[in-house]
Amino acid sequence: MMVEVTAYFGITCAGSSDDGRERSITTAISPTYAKQILELQEAGATEEDLHPIVAEAITESYFTESGT
């Protein structure tokens, strides 16, 4: 399953040029998360209900490398 989101993130500190801004993220998520998301949707979960699990899935696939 591919997930595409628009997120606002970044860092602000002295000397940083990486101020917060909107970014588009498209990433494949693991089958485990895809299954959970689909099961929750079938059970009637709203988009807002899915935010935490989608956030975990994106964290695992986009922001980590080999589990680190």
Side-chain angles (χ1 to χ4, degrees):
M1 176 184 284
M2 295 292 289
V3 175
E4 182 177 19
V5 298
T6 300
Y8 184 88
F9 62 96
I11 59 171
T12 53
C13 62
S16 173
S17 63
D18 196 17
D19 291 336
R21 60 182 174 268
E22 280 191 1
R23 298 169 192 227
S24 294
I25 298 172
T26 303
T27 188
I29 61 172
S30 74
T32 303
Y33 282 111
K35 181 181 178 189
Q36 289 176 349
I37 291 166
L38 294 173
E39 288 173 349
L40 288 169
Q41 283 180 320
E42 289 176 9
T46 65
E47 185 174 322
E48 188 173 305
D49 294 334
L50 296 173
H51 285 182
I53 192 77
V54 172
E56 285 180 35
I58 292 169
T59 298
E60 178 187 277
S61 66
Y62 188 81
F63 293 107
T64 61
E65 183 176 319
S66 302
T68 61

